[in-house]
Amino acid sequence: MMQQQTILVTGVAGYWGARVAQRLLAESGLHVIGIDATPPQELPEGLDFVQADIRNPLMTELLKAERVDTVCHLAFSDSRRRNEANFDLNVMGAMKVFGAAAQAGVRKIVYRSSTAVYGALPQNPAYLSETHPLHGSKQYGYTRYMVEIEEFCNGFRSQQPDLIITSLRFANIVGETAVTPLTTLLRGKVAPVLLGFDPMMQVIHEDDVIEALLHAIRHDAPGAFNVAAPGLMPLTRILALTGVLPVPVLHPLAYWGVQNVRGRFSPARLLPFDPDYLRYRWVADTRKMETELGFTPQYSMEETLRAFATFKRARHTTADDDDALELDKERLRHTLERRQRQRARREQQKEAAQ
Amino acid sequence: MSSQDDGHEIPVQDEEISNEELRQKLAAELDGLIARMKELDPHYEPPPFSPQGMISFIEKSLRHLAPTLRLEILEKARQLLSEDLFDIETWKGVWYLINYNVKYQIDFVRRRLTGEYETDEWGLDWELVEAIRPFLGFMYRYYWRTRVTGLENIPDYGRALVVANHSGQLPFDGAMIGTAIYNDHPSQRLIRNLYASWFPTLPFVSSFLERMGQVMADVDNGVRLLENDELVGVFPEGYKGVGKLFKDRYKLARFGRGGFVKMALQTGAPMIPTAVVGAEEMYVVVHKSETLARLTGFPYFPISLRFPWLGLLGVIPLPTRWYIDFGQPIPTAEYGPEAANDLILVSQLTNQTRNIIQQMINDRLAQRRSVFL
């Protein structure tokens, strides 16, 4: 490698930023700059940390001075709250980062988005393609702001034809460590559902989120991509597999409660989704991910949920428990199966290349 | 009780007991079982035994099992046949089957609660389809005494689009077309009827339709299904058809915007015009109330001779005699997929299909002598 490639990761003190930076640092020939308004609790070895707000006007100078090649934008607030602070961080933050990147001559931007931007509507087709209009929830802060960012990006792409902007729209993220709407629902013993509704849902494993972001950093793929694990399941099966007891709520009551009850007893605290997302189908088409992005998730939907269930049960057993060994065996078996499949796939790709 | 099974552990027989003891034990157990069954339904007469009946029963029971499991069971059955029919092994086999069935019923509930079941990408759940089949079969055979012609026009495999008239206020016609093909067609295909986007907003209805393998009406969905070589059913009249007044019965409404023709052209699937006669007289609707429709959020609110005056009693359909006629397929492959954008051709084919179905309905009406007999 003649010149060291510089990659800037925003929100490096956050969960996604920290994990992506860690993985990038493990690769040779990369200069990884991490930026965040607050320093991370433990600084990863070799990370070039810069303490700054992403909305800082001097961002352009930093990007220019460091000759940044790729910006991986992960500084988003996942909060469901709608307020000025979240709007400013998510929407204005993204616009300022993208603007600075364009001015500084950055080659590529990769950022994390969500399939929730399409919205959950009764007239949704079974599979939502990347070109489907964005009707995401206006009630749920993160989704509302993400729709704005995606719409801004569509215009920005045509203004900046040389800048590669890759938006990865992830399905419901599930994993042991990530905190997402669906994991919030699945971590408990009971979960509210809407009486008589059982939409088909999609998930993606947290490790595959990291893999997909790294894949997009390594390979150039302009445009938006839906990223989801293969397989679909009805919501009740997701809950059953992860050992959660569904508590049905009349849907008009759920809508009314989320709209009108504030404070400690607000159902929004129990319901990490806009009720529409538990009512209608919002499944994304992943054909573009497979063909144009060339990315294949390691975990299928069923494996993702079974892994989560194993982890959840393991939390309730102690080391000297009889169950602990069984759980450990189960987990190792899943891992072995997955690795076997990965090896087979790699060999297949090698054969195809030859 | 139907005997749909799935791959589950088989109860292991205890080998310690001698054959004679086992024989006595079995006889006692079977007597007990017979007594219990008789208590449940005193008038039950088992169907007369015949080899053909037995074979078709086995075929039906095995249809949804994995191929390897199917082979294993068939081989086991074949082995049993070659031996003495009164051998203790036969009884072991019978006992095995009964056990298997009981275990299955218990397992069914347990597996629902632990999430150990499968649905396809559209939400189809075969176990629930099988569970609801007896009811639909009853309505099809004994309540509406449906007479079906032209089943040979439905291909054994491969893509096809069934285009039918819509009537009867509640979409029983779709269910009966599905039952006719599933029960009486040699390849027993499951039809994917496309339903209106109002149904996903209704609790229970939305998930029920999904589990039955039905799909929301959308050109993308239809094309995807046909590309997977599925059998798709459409009712292009939509609400205008299903909510017809009694005085307008059997007059076809406008055939939507020709979305179904676009699906067929894009995928080269043949269109099978289908006429359903009898469903129009299920309810005698004299008026449609717009005020009540607005209040309830229904796309239409029928006022019939019995509904809403008699409440739920008014929802029970009349036992009219139904006829389902599947017509000659209309080929579309010759036009090529680009023809889907040819609006003139689309509207021509739409009208052509509509005229064929209207003609089929008129022919059937001319032959029909009574609504009920």
Side-chain angles (χ1 to χ4, degrees), chain A residues 81-143:
Chain A
R81 291 218 171 73
R82 277 179 293 146
N83 54 33
E84 269 309 303
N86 283 339
F87 174 82
D88 204 58
L89 174 63
N90 284 0
V91 181
M92 297 318 290
M95 283 185 188
K96 281 170 184 167
V97 168
F98 295 174
Q103 263 186 17
V106 167
R107 200 176 59 84
K108 176 157 77 173
I109 300 173
V110 176
Y111 69 100
R112 176 175 73 92
S113 178
S114 156
T115 54
V117 294
Y118 301 114
L121 285 97
Q123 64 270 25
N124 270 356
Y127 290 91
L128 298 153
S129 74
E130 284 81 354
T131 50
H132 199 267
L134 309 179
H135 297 301
S137 165
K138 294 257 185 283
Q139 307 298 323
Y140 192 90
Y142 171 75
T143 313

Side-chain angles (χ1 to χ4, degrees), chain B residues 174-215:
Chain B
M176 288 303 111
I177 290 175
T179 310
I181 297 169
Y182 198 61
N183 283 10
D184 292 341
H185 191 270
S187 63
Q188 302 190 300
R189 302 184 68 174
L190 181 107
I191 191 167
R192 308 284 201 155
N193 287 315
L194 304 188
Y195 56 80
S197 63
W198 175 58
F199 289 109
T201 66
L202 302 175
F204 301 108
V205 177
S206 63
S207 49
F208 174 75
L209 288 173
E210 235 181 25
R211 296 301 159 269
M212 292 299 115
Q214 316 293 291
V215 175

Side-chain angles (χ1 to χ4, degrees), chain A residues 339-351:
Chain A
R339 297 217 167 163
Q340 171 83 33
R341 232 186 15 246
Q342 258 173 284
R343 258 199 302 280
R345 198 159 53 223
R346 261 201 300 270
E347 268 160 33
Q348 225 170 27
Q349 278 169 355
K350 229 181 268 171
E351 266 173 45

Side-chain angles (χ1 to χ4, degrees), chain A residues 30 47 65 69 99 110 113 138 154 196:
Chain A
L30 289 182
L47 178 73
D69 176 82
V110 176
S113 178
K138 294 257 185 283
N154 284 340

Side-chain angles (χ1 to χ4, degrees), chain B residues 340-351:
Chain B
N341 301 323
D342 183 349
L343 296 180
I344 304 295
L345 178 69
V346 168
S347 73
Q348 261 174 8
L349 278 172
T350 308
N351 282 335

Side-chain angles (χ1 to χ4, degrees), chain A residues 47-89:
Chain A
L47 178 73
D48 185 358
F49 178 69
V50 178
Q51 185 168 0
D53 195 299
I54 49 164
R55 291 159 288 191
N56 196 319
L58 290 176
M59 270 287 279
T60 321
E61 302 303 316
L62 175 73
L63 292 170
K64 261 189 200 155
E66 297 286 349
R67 300 182 178 210
V68 172
D69 176 82
T70 301
V71 171
C72 184
H73 184 42
L74 300 169
F76 295 109
S77 153
D78 286 2
S79 165
R80 66 179 163 78
R81 291 218 171 73
R82 277 179 293 146
N83 54 33
E84 269 309 303
N86 283 339
F87 174 82
D88 204 58
L89 174 63

Side-chain angles (χ1 to χ4, degrees), chain A residues 275-311:
Chain A
D276 275 344
Y277 288 76
L278 296 176
R279 191 177 178 192
Y280 304 125
R281 184 171 168 135
W282 49 291
V283 167
D285 190 346
T286 54
R287 283 188 283 198
K288 202 178 161 199
M289 168 190 89
E290 283 152 23
T291 53
E292 276 182 50
L293 188 64
F295 176 74
T296 318
Q298 295 172 31
Y299 289 80
S300 73
M301 174 161 193
E302 203 167 326
E303 282 167 339
T304 308
L305 290 166
R306 284 191 196 279
F308 186 81
T310 317
F311 151 75

